mmCIF file of all heavy atoms in Angstrom:
data_model
loop_
_atom_site.group_PDB
_atom_site.id
_atom_site.type_symbol
_atom_site.label_atom_id
_atom_site.label_comp_id
_atom_site.label_asym_id
_atom_site.label_seq_id
_atom_site.Cartn_x
_atom_site.Cartn_y
_atom_site.Cartn_z
ATOM 1 N N GLY A 61 5.086 36.477 -8.340
ATOM 2 C CA GLY A 61 5.127 36.135 -6.914
ATOM 3 C C GLY A 61 5.966 34.893 -6.653
ATOM 4 O O GLY A 61 6.723 34.825 -5.692
ATOM 5 N N TYR A 62 5.847 33.935 -7.550
ATOM 6 C CA TYR A 62 6.630 32.705 -7.414
ATOM 7 C C TYR A 62 8.119 32.983 -7.590
ATOM 8 O O TYR A 62 8.953 32.359 -6.956
ATOM 9 C CB TYR A 62 6.183 31.672 -8.448
ATOM 10 C CG TYR A 62 4.904 30.940 -8.111
ATOM 11 C CD1 TYR A 62 4.130 31.257 -7.002
ATOM 12 C CD2 TYR A 62 4.457 29.918 -8.931
ATOM 13 C CE1 TYR A 62 2.964 30.560 -6.724
ATOM 14 C CE2 TYR A 62 3.285 29.220 -8.655
ATOM 15 C CZ TYR A 62 2.559 29.554 -7.540
ATOM 16 O OH TYR A 62 1.410 28.858 -7.253
ATOM 17 N N ARG A 63 8.444 33.920 -8.475
ATOM 18 C CA ARG A 63 9.850 34.277 -8.687
ATOM 19 C C ARG A 63 10.441 34.827 -7.387
ATOM 20 O O ARG A 63 11.561 34.471 -7.020
ATOM 21 C CB ARG A 63 9.988 35.335 -9.796
ATOM 22 C CG ARG A 63 9.820 34.768 -11.169
ATOM 23 C CD ARG A 63 9.801 35.832 -12.250
ATOM 24 N NE ARG A 63 10.946 36.735 -12.161
ATOM 25 C CZ ARG A 63 10.922 37.983 -12.543
ATOM 26 N NH1 ARG A 63 9.823 38.527 -13.045
ATOM 27 N NH2 ARG A 63 11.985 38.731 -12.441
ATOM 28 N N ARG A 64 9.686 35.686 -6.709
ATOM 29 C CA ARG A 64 10.161 36.249 -5.429
ATOM 30 C C ARG A 64 10.382 35.145 -4.398
ATOM 31 O O ARG A 64 11.258 35.258 -3.555
ATOM 32 C CB ARG A 64 9.181 37.293 -4.917
ATOM 33 C CG ARG A 64 9.212 38.598 -5.696
ATOM 34 C CD ARG A 64 8.383 39.688 -5.034
ATOM 35 N NE ARG A 64 6.960 39.426 -5.023
ATOM 36 C CZ ARG A 64 6.112 39.699 -6.022
ATOM 37 N NH1 ARG A 64 6.564 40.251 -7.123
ATOM 38 N NH2 ARG A 64 4.838 39.431 -5.909
ATOM 39 N N ARG A 65 9.569 34.116 -4.483
ATOM 40 C CA ARG A 65 9.697 32.989 -3.542
ATOM 41 C C ARG A 65 10.632 31.899 -4.066
ATOM 42 O O ARG A 65 10.794 30.874 -3.427
ATOM 43 C CB ARG A 65 8.312 32.409 -3.270
ATOM 44 C CG ARG A 65 7.465 33.419 -2.496
ATOM 45 C CD ARG A 65 6.018 33.087 -2.370
ATOM 46 N NE ARG A 65 5.678 31.706 -2.265
ATOM 47 C CZ ARG A 65 4.488 31.199 -2.543
ATOM 48 N NH1 ARG A 65 3.519 32.003 -2.962
ATOM 49 N NH2 ARG A 65 4.233 29.932 -2.423
ATOM 50 N N ARG A 66 11.221 32.171 -5.211
ATOM 51 C CA ARG A 66 12.211 31.266 -5.844
ATOM 52 C C ARG A 66 11.658 29.881 -6.182
ATOM 53 O O ARG A 66 12.337 28.862 -5.998
ATOM 54 C CB ARG A 66 13.468 31.164 -4.993
ATOM 55 C CG ARG A 66 14.136 32.500 -4.772
ATOM 56 C CD ARG A 66 15.340 32.386 -3.885
ATOM 57 N NE ARG A 66 15.660 33.682 -3.325
ATOM 58 C CZ ARG A 66 16.711 34.394 -3.680
ATOM 59 N NH1 ARG A 66 17.526 33.934 -4.574
ATOM 60 N NH2 ARG A 66 16.933 35.556 -3.128
ATOM 61 N N VAL A 67 10.432 29.848 -6.662
ATOM 62 C CA VAL A 67 9.851 28.590 -7.145
ATOM 63 C C VAL A 67 10.526 28.249 -8.474
ATOM 64 O O VAL A 67 10.552 29.091 -9.386
ATOM 65 C CB VAL A 67 8.321 28.698 -7.309
ATOM 66 C CG1 VAL A 67 7.742 27.441 -7.956
ATOM 67 C CG2 VAL A 67 7.652 28.975 -5.968
ATOM 68 N N PRO A 68 11.101 27.057 -8.586
ATOM 69 C CA PRO A 68 11.794 26.691 -9.826
ATOM 70 C C PRO A 68 10.882 26.802 -11.062
ATOM 71 O O PRO A 68 9.719 26.412 -11.022
ATOM 72 C CB PRO A 68 12.194 25.226 -9.588
ATOM 73 C CG PRO A 68 12.271 25.093 -8.105
ATOM 74 C CD PRO A 68 11.184 26.013 -7.585
ATOM 75 N N GLY A 69 11.448 27.403 -12.109
ATOM 76 C CA GLY A 69 10.715 27.533 -13.374
ATOM 77 C C GLY A 69 9.880 28.795 -13.491
ATOM 78 O O GLY A 69 9.416 29.115 -14.577
ATOM 79 N N ALA A 70 9.681 29.507 -12.386
ATOM 80 C CA ALA A 70 8.810 30.687 -12.411
ATOM 81 C C ALA A 70 9.386 31.805 -13.284
ATOM 82 O O ALA A 70 8.626 32.485 -13.982
ATOM 83 C CB ALA A 70 8.560 31.186 -10.998
ATOM 84 N N ASP A 71 10.689 31.990 -13.261
ATOM 85 C CA ASP A 71 11.300 33.044 -14.062
ATOM 86 C C ASP A 71 11.087 32.778 -15.555
ATOM 87 O O ASP A 71 10.679 33.657 -16.292
ATOM 88 C CB ASP A 71 12.786 33.161 -13.739
ATOM 89 C CG ASP A 71 13.394 34.436 -14.282
ATOM 90 O OD1 ASP A 71 12.723 35.482 -14.237
ATOM 91 O OD2 ASP A 71 14.535 34.375 -14.780
ATOM 92 N N ALA A 72 11.349 31.546 -15.973
ATOM 93 C CA ALA A 72 11.160 31.180 -17.386
ATOM 94 C C ALA A 72 9.683 31.299 -17.781
ATOM 95 O O ALA A 72 9.376 31.735 -18.876
ATOM 96 C CB ALA A 72 11.665 29.768 -17.632
ATOM 97 N N LEU A 73 8.793 30.914 -16.878
ATOM 98 C CA LEU A 73 7.348 31.010 -17.147
ATOM 99 C C LEU A 73 6.961 32.477 -17.345
ATOM 100 O O LEU A 73 6.231 32.792 -18.295
ATOM 101 C CB LEU A 73 6.560 30.403 -15.988
ATOM 102 C CG LEU A 73 5.041 30.442 -16.113
ATOM 103 C CD1 LEU A 73 4.566 29.564 -17.270
ATOM 104 C CD2 LEU A 73 4.410 29.992 -14.799
ATOM 105 N N ASN A 74 7.444 33.338 -16.505
ATOM 106 C CA ASN A 74 7.137 34.766 -16.606
ATOM 107 C C ASN A 74 7.648 35.325 -17.931
ATOM 108 O O ASN A 74 6.926 36.072 -18.610
ATOM 109 C CB ASN A 74 7.739 35.520 -15.420
ATOM 110 C CG ASN A 74 7.327 36.972 -15.400
ATOM 111 O OD1 ASN A 74 6.150 37.270 -15.401
ATOM 112 N ND2 ASN A 74 8.301 37.859 -15.394
ATOM 113 N N GLN A 75 8.853 34.990 -18.308
ATOM 114 C CA GLN A 75 9.419 35.467 -19.567
ATOM 115 C C GLN A 75 8.613 34.975 -20.754
ATOM 116 O O GLN A 75 8.332 35.731 -21.685
ATOM 117 C CB GLN A 75 10.876 35.026 -19.702
ATOM 118 C CG GLN A 75 11.807 35.761 -18.773
ATOM 119 C CD GLN A 75 13.234 35.268 -18.910
ATOM 120 O OE1 GLN A 75 13.478 34.082 -19.173
ATOM 121 N NE2 GLN A 75 14.186 36.166 -18.727
ATOM 122 N N ARG A 76 8.256 33.708 -20.721
ATOM 123 C CA ARG A 76 7.490 33.128 -21.836
ATOM 124 C C ARG A 76 6.119 33.791 -21.954
ATOM 125 O O ARG A 76 5.642 34.066 -23.055
ATOM 126 C CB ARG A 76 7.351 31.632 -21.612
ATOM 127 C CG ARG A 76 6.701 30.937 -22.729
ATOM 128 C CD ARG A 76 7.469 29.691 -23.119
ATOM 129 N NE ARG A 76 6.706 29.055 -24.159
ATOM 130 C CZ ARG A 76 5.900 28.015 -23.959
ATOM 131 N NH1 ARG A 76 5.826 27.443 -22.784
ATOM 132 N NH2 ARG A 76 5.197 27.522 -24.956
ATOM 133 N N ALA A 77 5.473 34.027 -20.822
ATOM 134 C CA ALA A 77 4.161 34.708 -20.839
ATOM 135 C C ALA A 77 4.296 36.100 -21.445
ATOM 136 O O ALA A 77 3.465 36.500 -22.263
ATOM 137 C CB ALA A 77 3.595 34.775 -19.431
#
Side-chain angles (χ1 to χ4, degrees):
Y62 282 5
R63 285 174 51 210
R64 287 189 293 275
R65 292 170 34 201
R66 300 178 200 251
V67 173
D71 193 39
L73 179 66
N74 186 56
Q75 288 178 327
R76 185 133 177 260

